[in-house]
Amino acid sequence: MNSIKKNLSRLLILVAIGFVIVIFIDYLIDLKNTPMPDRLHPVVAEKRDTLISQAKEKGISILITDDFRTVEKQNRLYEQGRSEEGNIVTYAKGGSSYHNYGLAIDFAIQLENGHVIWDLQYDGNENGHSDWMEVVDLAKNLGFEWGGDWESFKDYPHLQIDFGLSIRELQWGKRP
């Protein structure tokens, strides 16, 4: 009788474990089937607009040079400087950039004459501080992470809000 109870207990435990595994696999399948975003996340878009306004209040005009990117566009950018002409501008293939999930923007400084510059030292508002770094400080205060703080590849125009999600989690279908 004791061995029957032990075997029954083991069987119930295995059934419970199997049930949990099935639920987890179903969850992962649902995540994998989550569609890719097709625009900038609304929170990121709102903070982008706030950044532009705050920079303007400091006498700095910024231009958003890129925001949401499709996986296809990301792959074309990745090929630049590799199989296509031009300089390498990204190390992220399609699906591996926060731009692909609507969570990143790139910016540049726009001069009064309309020219666009990526000069980290330029002080157009003549307050003794780099306009670029003033924008970065504003962006960080809004919750953006700056690509210029990265250890390996420095991406100075890049700002992102990842909502605590890694690229791997986004690839699996998690969304903020």
Side-chain angles (χ1 to χ4, degrees):
M1 190 73 159
N2 234 357
S3 70
I4 293 174
K5 283 184 178 179
K6 281 184 182 177
N7 286 339
L8 188 56
S9 292
R10 288 180 184 151
L11 180 62
L12 288 173
I13 289 170
L14 288 174
V15 168
I17 290 171
F19 184 69
V20 168
I21 290 171
V22 167
I23 289 173
F24 183 68
I25 289 171
D26 194 43
Y27 169 74
L28 290 179
I29 289 169
D30 282 349
L31 279 180
K32 264 312 230 188
N33 291 327
T34 303
M36 287 292 286
D38 60 0
R39 66 183 57 91
L40 201 60
H41 188 283
V43 171
V44 178
E46 180 183 327
K47 290 181 184 266
R48 171 207 56 205
D49 296 345
T50 302
L51 177 64
I52 292 168
S53 295
Q54 288 180 354
K56 179 126 342 255
E57 288 171 13
K58 288 184 162 275
I60 304 167
S61 179
I62 62 171
L63 176 70
I64 302 304
T65 58
D66 213 350
D67 53 25
F68 171 79
R69 279 188 213 136
T70 64
V71 169
E72 296 76 24
K73 182 176 180 184
Q74 187 70 36
N75 282 330
R76 285 193 303 274
L77 280 175
Y78 180 80
E79 290 307 318
Q80 187 175 317
R82 294 176 177 88
S83 64
E84 301 294 326
E85 283 192 36
N87 296 324
I88 290 176
V89 294
T90 185
Y91 291 95
K93 291 182 178 182
S96 297
S97 169
Y98 283 99
H99 286 282
N100 304 142
Y101 301 94
L103 305 178
I105 60 174
D106 293 337
F107 78 97
I109 305 290
Q110 187 165 28
L111 304 178
E112 286 183 23
N113 65 9
H115 286 98
V116 177
I117 62 171
W118 289 263
D119 183 342
L120 275 63
Q121 307 304 316
Y122 178 75
D123 180 19
N125 61 4
E126 299 178 348
N127 66 356
H129 302 286
S130 152
D131 288 358
W132 195 276
M133 294 312 297
E134 287 185 77
V135 172
V136 167
D137 288 342
L138 292 170
K140 287 180 177 182
N141 286 334
L142 290 169
F144 283 99
E145 175 186 337
W146 179 45
D149 287 332
W150 295 344
E151 289 297 316
S152 56
F153 172 66
K154 302 283 188 183
D155 190 352
Y156 297 106
H158 184 87
L159 301 167
Q160 69 184 37
I161 299 175
D162 61 23
F163 296 92
L165 296 172
S166 68
I167 286 293
R168 173 89 57 214
E169 290 171 311
L170 292 164
Q171 289 170 334
W172 270 96
K174 283 190 135 189
R175 300 290 182 262

